């Protein structure tokens, strides 16, 4: 018997808001200039300091916020961008926040009145020389690091059961909020699921935690009933669970203060939500805001494709792959496969996969056609276990390696 817990967060979570802003800018660059080099982080915060609105324009405290825009939130974009693209970055940021569902400072951030600051330079020449084909004769990795991929047969998505249920809860909650059926729901939300896995392969749902931001005038009992009946039960039933042993809905009793008003947000802080719910190790590199020359992103996508292809072809019930790169080098330093079949089989499979798949950065980019504006949709909802339709999530396709 083994227990496993995974969490998920909605598009309105402050960290996910930042991921989406960073990837919206990346998409805007790639849309006009596929050769753009982007490494962009976003940080966001709104609210009071010492009980008073604070403006850093004159570094004074104000009793009355008046027209002080900082109370509505501050969005800081920092990083490196080399591109020929031209667009209104401020309008793009405001539109992204608006599309997530935020409408006012009281909800978490005001998309119309928040302050937007940028500190963006071009890509370092020391980094560029390791990536540019003209300088090293072959495109090297845009950074060092380890990238992991995983797949298992627990769900039709070939993803961990706990992760899929945690995501289903948030998907269902967002769908319910956007339908207008519960106008008191706000964009920020989180879920967490604990599943017990028995030796015979049976899954039992031990606990569901769901936190949903709401307006001030909704009562806890109304909120609890709605989330239980219209979100939790419907999301879990689709996975075959007949009952759950416990549930926790808005554990503190209230979740009115959310988004950047309740907590700061930064790009790249939800990498476990982005990947496999903590089921396997993570190399540490975040995805959002990075163009595909960064193997933090493209390398992870390739590892997922390989692991998924192994399981989808019936070569193993679960598969974990790992690769390591050095900046400026095209060939990886290290490659490893782990399955449920044993070390000897894994070593043979690793050799076989290296013969089938080209792991050089340029080959990965070309295989999935990654120099396209396809990244904003990955910045909420997870990067893996999604349907590869309309050119999105191409790494979720399967290669015949049987």
């Amino acid at each position: 018997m083994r227990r496993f817990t995974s969490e998920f967060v909605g598009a309105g979570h402050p960290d996910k808001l930042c991921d989406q802003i960073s990837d919206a800018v990346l998409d805007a660059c790639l849309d006009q200039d596929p050769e753009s080099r982007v490494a962009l982080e976003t940080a966001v915060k709104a609210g009071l300091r010492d009980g008073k609105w604070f403006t850093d324009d004159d570094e004074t405290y104000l009793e009355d916020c008046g027209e002080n825009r900082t109370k509505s939130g501050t969005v800081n974009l920092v990083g490196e961008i080399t591109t020929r693209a031209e667009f209104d970055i401020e309008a793009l940021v405001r539109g992204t926040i608006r599309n997530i569902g935020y409408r006012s400072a009281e909800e978490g951030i005001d998309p119309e009145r928040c302050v937007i600051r940028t500190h963006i330079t071009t890509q370092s020449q020391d980094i560029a020389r390791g990536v540019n084909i003209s300088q090293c004769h072959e495109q090297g990795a845009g950074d060092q690091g380890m990238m992991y991929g995983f797949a298992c047969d627990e769900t039709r998505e070939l993803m961990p059961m706990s992760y899929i249920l945690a995501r289903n809860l948030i998907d269902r909650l967002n769908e319910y909020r956007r339908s207008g059926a519960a106008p008191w729901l706000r964009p920020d939300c989180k879920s967490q699921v604990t599943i017990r896995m028995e030796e015979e392969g049976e899954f039992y749902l031990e606990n569901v935690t769901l936190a949903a931001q709401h307006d001030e005038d909704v009562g806890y009992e109304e909120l609890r009933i709605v989330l239980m009946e219209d979100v939790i039960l419907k999301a879990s039933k689709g996975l075959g669970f007949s009952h759950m042993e416990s549930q926790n809905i808005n554990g503190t009793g209230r979740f009115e203060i959310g988004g950047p008003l309740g907590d700061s947000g930064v790009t790249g802080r939800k990498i476990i939500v982005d990947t496999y719910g903590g089921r396997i190790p993570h190399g540490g590199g975040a995805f959002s805001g990075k163009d595909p020359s960064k193997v933090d992103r493209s390398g992870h996508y390739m590892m997922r494709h390989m692991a998924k292809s192994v399981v989808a072809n019936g070569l193993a019930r679960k598969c974990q792959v790992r690769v390591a790169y050095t900046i400026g080098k095209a060939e990886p330093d290290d490659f490893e496969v782990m399955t449920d079949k044993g070390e000897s089989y894994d070593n043979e499979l690793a050799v076989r996969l290296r013969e089938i798949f080209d792991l050089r950065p340029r080959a990965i980019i070309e295989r999935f056609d990654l120099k396209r504006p396809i990244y904003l949709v990955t910045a909420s909802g997870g990067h893996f276990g999604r349907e590869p339709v309309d050119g999105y999530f191409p790494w979720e396709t399967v290669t015949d390696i049987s």
Side-chain angles (χ1 to χ4, degrees):
M1 182 183 71
R2 184 187 178 196
R3 291 178 176 83
F4 205 86
T5 301
S6 294
E7 72 158 348
F8 212 81
V9 301
H13 186 282
D15 292 328
K16 274 289 141 203
L17 183 153
C18 292
D19 286 344
Q20 289 165 92
I21 291 173
S22 293
D23 272 340
V25 173
L26 171 62
D27 276 0
C29 292
L30 293 175
D31 186 46
Q32 297 181 39
D33 180 8
E35 301 303 321
S36 297
R37 298 281 172 79
V38 180
L40 182 69
E41 279 74 47
T42 302
V44 63
K45 183 66 182 113
L48 302 171
R49 199 168 107 177
D50 297 338
K52 302 175 182 179
W53 299 118
F54 181 70
T55 172
D56 43 16
D57 293 330
D58 57 5
E59 298 186 353
T60 59
Y61 291 93
L62 303 179
E63 290 286 352
D64 181 3
C65 64
E67 294 301 315
N68 172 25
R69 294 173 52 178
T70 308
K71 81 179 183 78
S72 302
T74 302
V75 182
N76 297 283
L77 290 83
V78 299
E80 301 80 44
I81 298 179
T82 301
T83 185
R84 296 190 301 271
E86 296 181 359
F87 55 91
D88 187 338
I89 195 168
E90 182 171 314
L92 183 65
V93 171
R94 296 189 191 282
T96 302
I97 298 171
R98 193 182 308 118
N99 290 338
I100 290 171
Y102 284 110
R103 298 166 296 182
S104 67
E106 290 69 28
E107 289 186 349
I109 187 170
D110 187 335
E112 315 305 331
R113 301 181 66 238
C114 63
V115 174
I116 299 171
R117 295 186 174 90
T118 62
H119 189 168
I120 299 171
T121 66
T122 57
Q123 185 179 58
S124 162
Q125 289 302 308
D126 289 345
I127 295 175
R129 67 186 292 128
V131 181
N132 295 340
I133 297 174
S134 60
Q135 293 181 356
C136 66
H137 307 295
E138 185 172 16
Q139 180 171 340
D143 205 349
Q144 68 180 43
M146 295 79 67
M147 297 85 211
Y148 288 83
F150 182 72
C152 62
D153 63 0
E154 295 174 10
T155 63
R156 66 177 181 83
E157 297 90 350
L158 302 185
M159 294 285 286
M161 179 70 77
S162 56
Y163 178 89
I164 290 298
L165 179 50
R167 186 172 76 185
N168 283 1
L169 288 165
I170 295 302
D171 286 347
R172 173 60 187 161
L173 180 59
N174 284 332
E175 176 185 328
Y176 194 72
R177 175 178 62 85
R178 291 184 182 277
S179 73
W184 37 264
L185 282 172
R186 292 177 174 179
D188 198 357
C189 55
K190 302 175 71 172
S191 68
Q192 186 165 288
V193 170
T194 300
I195 288 177
R196 185 173 74 250
M197 298 173 281
E198 300 289 352
E199 291 183 2
E200 60 271 20
E202 295 292 329
F203 293 92
Y204 296 90
L205 181 53
E206 288 202 347
N207 182 69
V208 169
T209 296
L210 186 63
Q213 187 191 8
H214 56 82
D215 289 349
E216 60 181 347
D217 56 356
V218 64
Y220 177 75
E221 190 59 24
E222 177 187 1
L223 179 143
R224 188 190 67 79
I225 292 173
V226 167
L227 295 189
M228 187 67 191
E229 295 181 355
D230 292 299
V231 177
I232 294 177
L233 292 180
K234 290 184 178 179
S236 58
K237 187 177 181 181
L239 290 173
F241 294 107
S242 58
H243 72 283
M244 70 190 74
E245 296 182 12
S246 64
Q247 62 278 331
N248 188 315
I249 299 174
N250 281 14
T252 67
R254 301 289 295 176
F255 186 11
E256 178 187 343
I257 303 171
L261 183 61
D263 195 4
S264 61
V266 179
T267 298
R269 284 205 299 204
K270 285 293 175 283
I271 56 178
I272 298 304
V273 168
D274 286 339
T275 53
Y276 307 100
R279 185 67 172 270
I280 66 167
H282 191 290
F287 301 166
S288 290
K290 297 177 181 177
D291 75 86
S293 72
K294 297 289 189 183
V295 285
D296 284 342
R297 184 162 220 156
S298 53
H300 272 106
Y301 291 164
M302 189 64 194
M303 293 302 101
R304 164 62 177 172
H305 178 75
M306 295 173 74
K308 185 177 182 181
S309 294
V310 168
V311 176
N313 280 276
L315 301 181
R317 295 193 60 189
K318 61 181 178 180
C319 178
Q320 174 185 307
V321 291
R322 176 177 59 81
V323 70
Y325 290 95
T326 294
I327 188 169
K329 290 178 58 179
E331 291 290 346
D333 298 329
D334 179 20
F335 179 72
E336 179 187 59
V337 177
M338 295 177 62
T339 71
D340 56 307
K341 295 290 188 72
E343 184 176 351
S344 177
Y345 177 86
D346 296 348
N347 292 336
E348 292 178 6
L349 182 58
V351 173
R352 182 175 176 184
L353 293 177
R354 284 305 312 269
E355 292 174 347
I356 296 172
F357 296 102
D358 190 339
L359 301 186
R360 293 174 299 171
R362 185 181 183 185
I364 296 172
I365 291 169
E366 291 177 350
R367 183 185 192 97
F368 299 128
D369 192 14
L370 295 179
K371 294 181 179 182
R372 298 178 290 135
I374 58 173
Y375 299 105
L376 177 56
V377 296
T378 70
S380 66
H383 293 246
F384 307 128
R386 310 277 294 274
E387 289 296 324
V389 296
D390 298 328
Y392 294 97
F393 303 100
W395 49 88
E396 286 297 315
T397 57
V398 172
T399 296
D400 183 0
I401 57 176
S402 58

